[in-house]
Amino acid sequence: MELVAGCYEQVLFGFAVHPEPKASGDHEQKWTPVADFTHHAHTASLSAVAVNSRFVVTGSKDETIHIYDMKKKIDHGALVHHNGTITCLKFYGNRHLISGAEDGLICVWDAKKWECLKSIKAHKGHVTSLSIHPSGKLALSVGTDKTLRTWNLVEGRSAFIKNIKQNAHIVEWSPRGERYVVVILNKIDVYQLDTASVSGTITNGKRISSVTFLSESVLAVAGDEEVVRVFDCDSLVCLSEFKAHENRVKDLFSFETPEHHVIVTASSDGFIKMWKLHEDKVSPCLLCEVNTNARLTCLGVWLDRATDTRESPPPDAETPPVSKEEPSKSNKKESGDEVQEGERQSKPGTKKCGSTGNGDKPAKGNSLVSAKKRKMVEMLGKKGNSLVTAKKRKMVEMLGKKKRKKKKM
């Protein structure tokens, strides 16, 4: 296990963590962090980090994504596609990486060949956060255009747009994907997937910097203060809180081991700390801490076996979540503050990702909320990979066009 953290000083830190032999009389086992590596690949401060079973990827204000091989402990190269600060990075399994940036783009990357499979103009402003559904078939994103957007990753297109009153800066699915949270300043709106509506709002003391689900209904929250709070998403009450650092907590990460649940925190005070949570999710105990002497900005945990973490994808994670085929354009239908979209997407003119398509009219729905609910259920219920069928359909369309041209001639 390794703790990895980025900082304002442009460096990625890696600390290997090992359990100490339990001494007689000790109630809690201690862990020892040992400095393993520092990686100085960026030319500006680090803004995002993501981890899978082999690689650590980092995003920066220098507009690049750098890849670090955790097995070989070497630099694996850089991804250059965005024109703005990289704001969010998410792996889905070991095959796909999704990135978002201040240029408004969301990019889907093949994490084996490190090619850009798709580049989507996702928001009119910055992309501030994104989250992938545990099934790998849906994703959510928020941006500075005051919208919450749902993405169909099977077909690689936008599914819905919901207008929200303010700019959200965090969105996160629950472990089973039955709910998700949207964070605006110090407030957390809890949405239910089956109704696509807010079931309640949690208010934190100060602006929230990071959230992580500890279970389907329990959420850990950190903000511009020294305290970490644990909330129940059903009752909306604070279950516990504890002082984690001497300065504001910048990022949180949680995972499960066979013995217990662990929260890792990173702070502007330079410390990375590991906390053991008891079954009642109250009064955690400190497992270990390490001082980086840097102003930390982002955090990840690399586990040698991907199945060690609660954020591991389901067994079919190797199925590509997005087709390389560019979706066709269509008009959109609006009602109130939500938009149900057909296959509409703009294309940046890049050699790797750009392509064009013909338009089709969007399907008509009944009530908007029920249509959205039905559409989400349909997308989550789809099985297998749509890449082959999409290519076949494209070939049939092309053959049909050629035949029509010959007849005209």
Side-chain angles (χ1 to χ4, degrees):
M1 180 194 304
E2 293 214 19
L3 309 178
V4 293
C7 63
Y8 282 109
E9 290 79 8
Q10 308 171 9
V11 175
L12 175 69
F13 296 98
F15 295 91
V17 181
H18 307 285
E20 294 179 0
K22 196 171 182 180
S24 58
D26 287 349
H27 296 290
E28 302 291 348
Q29 186 178 41
K30 295 294 183 179
W31 293 64
T32 304
V34 178
D36 186 33
F37 70 90
T38 56
H39 186 49
H40 193 169
H42 292 282
T43 59
S45 60
L46 275 67
S47 51
V49 63
V51 183
N52 71 2
S53 63
R54 178 65 184 269
F55 298 103
V56 173
V57 294
T58 54
S60 168
K61 289 188 176 181
D62 65 10
E63 305 179 356
T64 66
I65 300 168
H66 276 266
I67 310 160
Y68 188 76
D69 190 323
M70 290 296 291
K71 298 285 189 181
K72 298 179 179 179
K73 293 294 190 296
I74 59 172
D75 187 287
H76 195 72
L79 305 176
V80 182
H81 185 82
H82 289 286
N83 292 310
T85 297
I86 311 300
T87 55
C88 40
L89 294 167
K90 299 286 183 179
F91 274 110
Y92 182 75
N94 291 321
R95 287 299 306 271
H96 294 92
L97 170 71
I98 301 184
S99 62
E102 289 187 354
D103 57 6
L105 295 181
I106 288 178
C107 294
V108 181
W109 304 88
D110 184 324
K112 295 292 184 182
K113 299 178 181 179
W114 296 109
E115 295 176 346
C116 182
L117 300 176
K118 190 168 210 57
S119 181
I120 305 167
K121 182 60 178 176
H123 289 269
K124 293 178 182 179
H126 303 168
V127 178
T128 53
S129 179
L130 62 87
S131 183
I132 306 170
H133 189 270
S135 69
K137 297 171 184 177
L138 287 177
L140 295 169
S141 69
V142 289
T144 56
D145 54 1
K146 299 181 181 179
T147 63
L148 166 65
R149 300 185 183 232
T150 306
W151 302 96
N152 180 338
L153 294 182
V154 176
E155 299 179 11
R157 63 177 177 84
S158 176
F160 305 101
I161 301 174
K162 179 177 176 61
N163 295 315
I164 49 183
K165 294 179 180 179
Q166 292 175 283
N167 291 327
H169 62 282
I170 300 174
V171 62
E172 187 74 21
W173 284 103
S174 63
R176 292 202 302 266
E178 295 174 2
R179 71 179 82 203
Y180 52 93
V181 294
V182 175
V183 180
I184 301 172
L185 298 176
N186 68 324
K187 295 184 183 298
I188 305 169
D189 287 331
V190 182
Y191 288 77
Q192 299 297 325
L193 176 63
D194 56 357
T195 60
S197 60
V198 178
S199 61
T201 300
I202 295 168
T203 302
N204 191 50
K206 293 187 178 181
R207 185 183 187 276
I208 295 164
S209 57
S210 182
V211 300
T212 183
F213 276 96
L214 306 181
S215 69
E216 189 63 23
S217 60
V218 178
L219 186 72
V221 178
D224 291 344
E225 54 189 333
E226 306 87 358
V227 175
V228 173
R229 294 185 176 88
V230 179
F231 289 93
D232 187 303
C233 291
D234 292 323
S235 63
L236 307 178
V237 300
C238 180
L239 301 176
S240 68
E241 65 176 69
F242 62 97
K243 183 178 179 180
H245 292 271
E246 295 301 321
N247 207 326
R248 59 182 177 175
V249 182
K250 293 291 290 185
D251 207 356
L252 288 173
F253 190 94
S254 70
F255 63 95
E256 284 181 315
T257 68
E259 296 81 20
H260 45 251
H261 206 118
V262 176
I263 292 181
V264 186
T265 58
S267 168
S268 297
D269 62 13
F271 278 88
I272 306 171
K273 297 185 181 183
M274 277 180 58
W275 306 85
K276 173 185 173 181
L277 275 181
H278 299 286
E279 290 183 2
D280 57 3
K281 306 289 191 300
V282 180
S283 61
C285 72
L286 183 65
L287 294 175
C288 70
E289 64 179 2
V290 59
N291 187 3
T292 64
N293 294 305
R295 295 170 297 164
L296 301 178
T297 56
C298 50
L299 174 70
V301 177
W302 179 77
L303 298 130
D304 204 3
R305 293 180 300 153
T307 51
D308 284 346
T309 170
R310 69 161 183 84
E311 295 187 344
S312 299
D316 62 347
E318 294 304 307
T319 301
V322 64
S323 166
K324 282 189 179 182
E325 298 295 331
E326 187 74 21
S328 56
K329 294 181 180 178
S330 72
N331 297 324
K332 57 186 178 181
K333 189 173 182 179
E334 296 193 27
S335 174
D337 64 345
E338 294 191 15
V339 180
Q340 180 179 351
E341 285 206 340
E343 297 182 356
R344 176 188 64 85
Q345 223 35 264
S346 59
K347 289 79 53 188
T350 63
K351 292 181 181 179
K352 287 185 180 179
C353 311
S355 64
T356 58
N358 295 323
D360 293 315
K361 291 182 180 179
K364 293 181 179 179
N366 296 324
S367 109
L368 192 59
V369 174
S370 61
K372 181 174 181 180
K373 176 182 172 183
R374 185 171 63 252
K375 192 76 174 177
M376 278 191 169
V377 171
E378 287 173 1
M379 284 191 285
L380 291 174
K382 287 182 181 178
K383 294 181 179 180
N385 179 15
S386 67
L387 184 58
V388 176
T389 56
K391 285 186 175 179
K392 284 183 178 178
R393 187 167 62 249
K394 195 75 176 178
M395 288 175 70
V396 170
E397 290 175 0
M398 290 170 64
L399 289 172
K401 287 179 181 179
K402 287 181 179 179
K403 286 180 180 180
R404 288 195 294 271
K405 285 182 179 179
K406 286 181 179 179
K407 285 181 180 180
K408 288 180 180 180
M409 293 173 67

